[in-house]
Amino acid sequence: MRSKIVAGNWKMNKNLVEAKALASEIVNIARDELKDDVKLVVCPPFISLSAVSSILGDTQNVFLGAQNCNDNKAGAYTGEISVDMLTSVCASFVIIGHSERREYFGETDDFLAKKVDTVLAASITPIFCCGEPLEIREAETQYKYVTDQITASLFHLNEEQIKKIVIAYEPIWAIGTGKTASAEQAQQMHAEIRKHLASKYGESVASEISILYGGSCKASNAKEIFSGEDVDGGLIGGASLVAREFVDIAKSF
Ligand code: 13P
């Protein structure tokens, strides 16, 4: 059975003091209210990973993730963070290929393929992001666009490796805009992604891969979006910055 996951991408928000407060609040609410079959992941900025890791401690259902990492193992890459550094603070997830990184930092499909390899080699779970811009949706070529992204960055992996990937479908037109994909649009795309995975790896492997939805997801619309049979959770931006809202999204299952 694939995991249900709700991950919070804090992006470039919350300083160290604020990050510690938010993490503590999430842990306290999740401990009391969250069912064991849903995994929460919090992805604070690098500078707060270590402190947030201590706050999570041995909490069972809240995991630590990073928002990025370098594709090299180590070396002269000023300002960068390696997978080994993420492991050293007990981060078990890392977001790869977010549309903001593709757009503002020029991350390409080929580059992301290499980054996925580096992350898997460190036994960290990549949350691999894909999603189309508005003009592609309007041209109705979104399925090809997204499945091409997956082919280019993930289809060199073998069966054991692909099973370790979490995919996040984030339509760019829905990110931070308040304009959510409808539950039907989300389910349709997730089903296409799963079909695409099955065409390469078979139905059984494809059925084990969690596919999350991201883009203006909040407590008030999560239940409907998560009702799609191929929607296994969410990658949450703005709404993950409020502990009550974030845990309530996870409680929508
Ligand atoms: P919002 O939830 O703020 O739209 O952001 C989604 C996102 O980009 C998560 O990675």
Side-chain angles (χ1 to χ4, degrees):
M1 257 263 293
R2 53 185 183 259
S3 306
K4 294 176 185 157
I5 299 169
V6 173
N9 176 6
W10 296 6
K11 306 193 179 182
M12 199 172 72
N13 295 294
K14 304 289 178 190
N15 65 27
L16 177 61
V17 173
E18 294 163 344
K20 283 160 63 173
L22 176 57
S24 302
E25 223 187 318
I26 289 170
V27 166
N28 287 336
I29 304 177
R31 192 186 291 128
D32 295 339
E33 301 183 17
L34 203 61
K35 287 189 275 183
D36 282 347
D37 66 339
V38 182
K39 287 182 184 169
L40 274 188
V41 182
V42 291
C43 305
F46 286 134
I47 198 155
S48 299
L49 282 171
S50 175
V52 169
S53 181
S54 304
I55 289 165
L56 301 189
D58 55 5
T59 312
Q60 291 302 305
N61 49 5
V62 191
F63 297 83
L64 186 64
Q67 297 173 21
N68 183 32
C69 64
N70 193 267
D71 55 310
N72 294 287
K73 281 191 75 174
Y77 301 99
T78 301
E80 290 296 281
I81 300 290
S82 73
V83 284
D84 178 56
M85 295 169 195
L86 298 187
T87 303
S88 74
V89 293
C90 303
S92 41
F93 291 82
V94 60
I95 298 169
I96 296 294
H98 192 280
S99 58
E100 288 150 15
R101 294 214 59 87
R102 292 176 189 256
E103 182 178 351
Y104 307 137
F105 303 96
E107 297 194 357
T108 61
D109 292 337
D110 288 349
F111 173 72
L112 294 171
K114 185 172 172 223
K115 208 185 264 203
V116 164
D117 291 343
T118 308
V119 171
L120 286 176
S123 299
I124 297 174
T125 301
I127 301 177
F128 177 81
C129 300
C130 53
E132 81 285 359
L134 185 60
E135 60 272 21
I136 295 290
R137 171 66 59 170
E138 284 173 347
E140 297 180 6
T141 50
Q142 68 271 19
Y143 300 125
K144 176 166 173 18
Y145 186 94
V146 169
T147 52
D148 281 353
Q149 286 181 320
I150 289 172
T151 302
S153 300
L154 299 180
F155 272 18
H156 64 290
L157 300 176
N158 65 31
E159 228 177 83
E160 285 315 304
Q161 291 171 317
I162 195 80
K163 283 198 247 176
K164 296 187 177 128
I165 303 278
V166 171
I167 292 178
Y169 167 58
E170 299 203 307
I172 297 171
W173 46 271
I175 295 178
T177 57
K179 195 171 185 297
T180 321
S182 67
E184 197 188 357
Q185 285 172 323
Q187 166 55 27
Q188 274 175 354
M189 179 60 84
H190 285 224
E192 285 297 323
I193 292 172
R194 203 176 304 285
K195 198 167 87 187
H196 188 59
L197 292 166
S199 72
K200 165 93 176 158
Y201 297 99
E203 300 270 345
S204 156
V205 170
S207 73
E208 286 183 45
I209 298 172
S210 297
I211 307 176
L212 317 183
Y213 168 80
S216 299
C217 187
K218 41 189 185 284
S220 59
N221 58 27
K223 197 175 181 62
E224 205 189 336
I225 294 171
F226 294 173
S227 66
E229 73 172 302
D230 290 293
V231 182
D232 307 307
L235 179 56
I236 318 299
S240 73
L241 299 173
V242 178
R244 166 49 61 198
E245 179 82 11
F246 182 55
V247 179
D248 279 354
I249 291 173
K251 285 168 70 180
S252 302
F253 275 112

